[in-house]
Amino acid sequence: DAKPSILSNLLGIKVYKHYVWKSGRHKFLAIQGHQFDKFLINNYLLSHVVYFFYDLLRRIDKKEFATSYIKNNSKQWKRGSQEVAKKAIQAARIMGADFVFCGHTHKLLEKNKHNVYYINDASWNEKPSGFITITGAHVALHKVD
């Protein structure tokens, strides 16, 4: 969720807002996903306040009971996750991508719609998390608890 410039300086690598590549006969799109979150866009200040408290709770709640409960039971979070998926798939279709890999929602999700395969690998600093492997034409999401 950090700005690309922060990650770039921290990791010493170039970080892209979105990245498109081809491998074999498939085209892939990797994108963060925040630009598809209507709540974030329409409620910029409120969403940052909510994220501040969520992040604070995440730091206190080491076993992730409260944060897992929020992610799994919040209707707004679920709607937001589905909205990000829908719009990411639309972006992939416009760009002619077969696969779109996304983040932002902190929820593992796989969808296949309109011949576009969507994978959200959740968050690298929360559980469950995931990582994606691409081997030839095989793409898989692996859950990490």
Side-chain angles (χ1 to χ4, degrees):
D1 290 331
K3 292 181 180 181
S5 60
I6 293 170
L7 289 173
S8 182
N9 290 333
L10 182 66
L11 300 174
I13 60 173
K14 183 161 174 73
V15 177
Y16 297 87
K17 289 184 179 184
H18 72 274
Y19 189 76
V20 178
W21 74 99
K22 287 184 178 183
S23 179
R25 57 185 181 88
H26 293 295
K27 189 173 183 182
F28 302 90
L29 167 65
I31 196 161
Q32 204 279 333
H34 66 274
Q35 67 273 45
F36 305 128
D37 186 337
K38 194 184 317 180
F39 180 82
L40 176 69
I41 294 167
N42 294 338
N43 303 284
Y44 185 79
L45 183 59
L46 177 60
S47 64
H48 277 73
V49 170
V50 168
Y51 181 76
F52 171 81
F53 284 107
Y54 177 81
D55 192 49
L56 181 63
L57 179 61
R58 190 177 59 78
R59 292 169 195 256
I60 295 167
D61 181 26
K62 297 295 183 193
K63 299 228 184 242
E64 298 183 8
F65 293 122
T67 53
S68 291
Y69 181 84
I70 291 168
K71 285 191 293 188
N72 293 324
N73 294 291
S74 167
K75 290 180 183 177
Q76 178 63 36
W77 205 306
K78 289 177 183 177
R79 267 194 304 274
S81 185
Q82 294 299 320
E83 178 183 328
V84 168
K86 179 182 174 183
K87 292 186 177 176
I89 289 169
Q90 288 173 347
R93 288 183 71 203
I94 290 168
M95 295 180 169
D98 304 297
F99 294 86
V100 58
F101 309 122
C102 203
H104 180 66
T105 65
H106 297 232
K107 287 186 67 87
L108 290 171
L109 182 61
E110 292 181 87
K111 283 186 127 173
N112 192 346
K113 190 153 187 159
H114 304 296
N115 295 320
V116 174
Y117 192 65
Y118 169 88
I119 300 177
N120 191 311
D121 63 353
S123 171
W124 58 272
N125 62 355
E126 291 182 39
K127 294 178 183 173
S129 186
F131 65 94
I132 301 162
T133 58
I134 305 169
T135 309
H138 181 72
V139 177
L141 173 63
H142 307 273
K143 183 179 177 182
V144 178
D145 288 317

